[in-house]
Amino acid sequence: MVTFVDQVQVHLQAGRGGNGCVSIRREKFKPLAGPDGGAGGNGGDVVLLADPQITTLLEYHRRPHRSAENGGFGAGDYRAGTTAPELILPVPVGTVVKNAAGETLADLAEPGTRFVAAKGGLGGLGNLALASNKRKAPGFALLGTEGTSGTFTLELKTIADVAFVGYPSAGKSSLIAAMSAAKPKIADYPFTTLHPNLGVVQAGEHRFTVADVPGLIEGASEGKGLGLDFLRHVERCSALLHVLDCATLEPGRDPISDLDIILEELGAYPVPAGQAPLLERPQVIALNKIDVPEARELADFVRPELESRGYRVFEISTVSHEGLRQLGFALAELVEAARAKQLAEATEQPKIVLQPKPVNESGFRIVTEGGSYGTIYRVLGAKPERWVEQTDFKNDEAVGYLADRLQKIGLEDALVKAGAVAGSTVVIGPGAGVVFDWEPTVTSAAEVQMGARGTDHRVDQSSRRTNVERRAEYTRMMDAKAEARAELAREREAGMWSEDS
């Protein structure tokens, strides 16, 4: 039965944004009082959260597919759609997030660190937000956009100050049980430990964490045994403790040969850029099982050679606890030195300066593609691709609005510079995208509608004259009367009629 998983592949899908609403407000004695359609809500994000209460990725091994909720649709009477909540996925502290190409996206090494793995889609605007002085009654709304999705690899790298490394059955689990309150599985057969165990050691005023890394054998750096599955748990440790078995009964094995093989495997394991190689980190040797008389003799024999190599050597017994106190204080010194060095390096790091985006950024680019059916002009960019996704192509007015937006960002001028002519094929977006037959200066069939785009004569039903209109009408009436009197005077002078007749 699987109880510990430190690497999984998950498929995450953010929520889709809700569509905007097309609605007209109705009031007493004024059934068409203007637009009141609300906007749709944003889709939910998928967030990975480093939680110290989580110790394994087992939950995502069983359920690798996770999806956030969609945003609510807008409604009339100015009601906006509900924004979907975030989907919080707790992961162990020390989880590294990688994309499908193997690139590292985030390192959740601190408790509470958040990483938005999939961004929720935007909610579409309702016709209320699209209304303006020139577009008093929009007959369309924007659609919600699709949330992002992707496949991610979650890789857990145990965070501990000291890593216990050594051959199988060297006594690493017994040592962590003797020095801390951890309760690892202990047995007299190889590869008893199938996952790293963490323990907290208190040495005087110093407290640090230790990790019992499963047994390494020759060829571990190439994947032999448990090799690569658990060597990555050594990456974050500040110091290494080599636990050497002085009471082994296997032929051809001794503490010196075991150490040489482990050092070779640690040196062959590649660490991420910016981290010190494993062999360049502080190392201490513990000669274990000296409670056995033959093992104590062997430990006394090999200790001078190990010390000549520059190692600090401690003879210990996990049964009688001999030498454990001295070993704990020695490890605490190494940990405190590593922490002080890390703190000094952190204070010397330069400040991060955020550069603003250029104000003249066009937001799109045009790629010319050749094909058997002629030249294709592909428009790529976050803005035009999002606008196309928000457009309801069944609504001519919405298509006209899209044409206006594309024209404002200079798309027509860019197409002309790229060599496009009337009738050229224009594709917006990657892949199949949305295909148009480009017609310059003609935005859509909505231009032939009665009145300007975005207006509705039914909404503007006010027949009350303004003061300016009253004055103009009075002036026209007085001018007409004066002209009539002048005409009568001319006819009388011409003898066409007289007052007597």
Side-chain angles (χ1 to χ4, degrees):
M1 180 179 179
V2 178
T3 58
F4 180 84
V5 175
D6 62 353
Q7 186 172 3
V8 295
Q9 193 175 62
V10 293
H11 310 277
L12 307 179
Q13 172 68 59
R16 180 183 178 86
N19 297 340
C21 175
V22 181
S23 176
I24 298 296
R25 185 174 71 253
R26 287 167 172 77
E27 299 177 358
K28 189 175 182 179
F29 306 120
K30 199 172 184 180
L32 300 173
D36 66 345
N42 296 334
D45 300 336
V46 181
V47 180
L48 299 177
L49 174 65
D51 188 349
Q53 301 298 325
I54 306 298
T55 59
T56 177
L57 297 172
L58 178 61
E59 182 66 22
Y60 305 105
H61 173 76
R62 295 170 174 169
R63 294 175 52 207
H65 295 269
R66 302 298 178 96
S67 300
E69 297 181 9
N70 298 330
F73 285 14
D77 198 18
Y78 312 104
R79 291 174 295 176
T82 56
T83 298
E86 293 179 335
L87 176 61
I88 304 296
L89 301 180
V91 296
V93 177
T95 300
V96 177
V97 185
K98 298 181 180 180
N99 58 13
E103 300 175 352
T104 299
L105 302 178
D107 188 355
L108 309 180
E110 297 292 336
T113 306
R114 293 164 49 93
F115 172 67
V116 180
K119 185 67 176 177
L122 297 177
L125 297 178
N127 64 343
L128 172 65
L130 298 173
S132 64
N133 291 334
K134 296 182 179 180
R135 186 184 295 106
K136 296 184 178 180
F140 67 100
L142 300 184
L143 306 179
T145 60
E146 189 70 33
T148 60
S149 61
T151 299
F152 303 87
T153 299
L154 305 182
E155 184 176 301
L156 174 59
K157 297 181 179 180
T158 305
I159 297 180
D161 296 310
V162 181
F164 292 176
V165 296
Y167 254 75
S169 299
K172 299 182 299 299
S173 298
S174 301
L175 179 57
I176 195 174
M179 297 184 68
S180 68
K183 303 295 182 183
K185 181 180 179 181
I186 300 174
D188 58 353
Y189 54 84
F191 298 108
T192 305
T193 304
L194 298 179
H195 61 83
N197 295 303
L198 290 177
V200 179
V201 178
Q202 185 77 33
E205 298 180 354
H206 305 287
R207 176 178 294 181
F208 57 94
T209 58
V210 295
D212 165 23
V213 180
L216 304 178
I217 60 176
E218 187 174 3
S221 61
E222 301 175 357
K224 189 175 180 180
L226 297 178
L228 294 176
D229 291 337
F230 297 111
L231 264 175
R232 59 173 165 267
H233 293 282
V234 187
E235 289 182 13
R236 301 180 185 274
C237 297
S238 304
L240 303 178
L241 174 64
H242 297 279
V243 182
L244 303 181
D245 187 359
C246 293
T248 180
L249 300 178
E250 296 183 22
R253 280 188 55 192
D254 60 81
I256 301 297
S257 61
D258 288 356
L259 177 63
D260 292 338
I261 292 175
I262 295 301
L263 291 177
E264 183 178 353
E265 298 305 322
L266 294 177
Y269 180 74
V271 298
Q275 296 187 14
L278 298 181
L279 294 184
E280 295 182 7
R281 304 180 187 185
Q283 302 177 54
V284 178
I285 292 180
L287 300 175
N288 194 18
K289 303 182 182 180
I290 62 171
D291 53 285
V292 180
E294 294 80 1
R296 185 182 293 274
E297 294 179 2
L298 181 59
D300 293 337
F301 178 77
V302 301
R303 179 169 184 167
E305 181 177 351
L306 296 175
E307 290 178 342
S308 66
R309 295 187 182 185
Y311 296 106
R312 295 185 62 182
V313 182
F314 295 87
E315 299 181 11
I316 64 171
S317 171
T318 58
V319 176
S320 63
H321 289 200
E322 181 180 351
L324 296 187
R325 178 178 175 82
Q326 294 82 351
L327 176 61
F329 280 104
L331 296 178
E333 293 178 5
L334 297 179
V335 171
E336 291 300 322
R339 290 175 179 174
K341 180 180 178 181
Q342 183 179 7
L343 181 61
E345 293 177 352
T347 56
E348 294 176 0
Q349 291 180 353
K351 295 182 179 180
I352 299 176
V353 179
L354 299 178
Q355 298 292 342
K357 293 183 179 180
V359 295
N360 58 348
E361 185 179 7
S362 61
F364 69 91
R365 59 189 177 95
I366 298 177
V367 179
T368 304
E369 302 176 357
S372 58
Y373 296 98
T375 303
I376 296 176
Y377 299 89
R378 185 178 300 276
V379 181
L380 300 175
K383 280 186 178 180
E385 292 177 21
R386 183 178 71 249
W387 292 347
V388 166
E389 188 178 0
Q390 291 177 324
T391 301
D392 180 8
F393 287 94
K394 297 179 182 179
N395 188 310
D396 290 340
E397 193 176 342
V399 176
Y401 179 68
L402 171 64
D404 289 346
R405 301 177 84 180
L406 295 176
Q407 187 176 11
K408 287 180 180 179
I409 63 174
L411 180 59
E412 284 201 355
D413 295 339
L415 287 173
V416 172
K417 293 180 181 179
V421 296
S424 296
T425 302
V426 177
V427 181
I428 299 181
V434 180
V435 183
F436 299 91
D437 290 331
W438 184 53
E439 294 294 338
T441 70
V442 177
T443 54
S444 74
E447 294 288 353
V448 300
Q449 67 182 3
M450 298 301 295
R453 181 187 305 138
T455 61
D456 192 336
H457 67 280
R458 298 173 300 170
V459 177
D460 190 9
Q461 294 182 344
S462 177
S463 58
R464 184 177 180 181
R465 294 175 299 170
T466 63
N467 292 335
V468 175
E469 292 174 343
R470 291 195 187 95
R471 293 192 188 98
E473 184 177 356
Y474 176 77
T475 301
R476 289 194 299 270
M477 182 180 64
M478 297 304 294
D479 291 343
K481 289 183 177 180
E483 180 62 26
R485 289 194 296 268
E487 181 66 21
L488 290 175
R490 287 193 296 269
E491 292 177 355
R492 183 177 57 189
E493 292 176 357
M496 296 177 62
W497 59 274
S498 65
E499 295 181 359
D500 296 338
S501 61

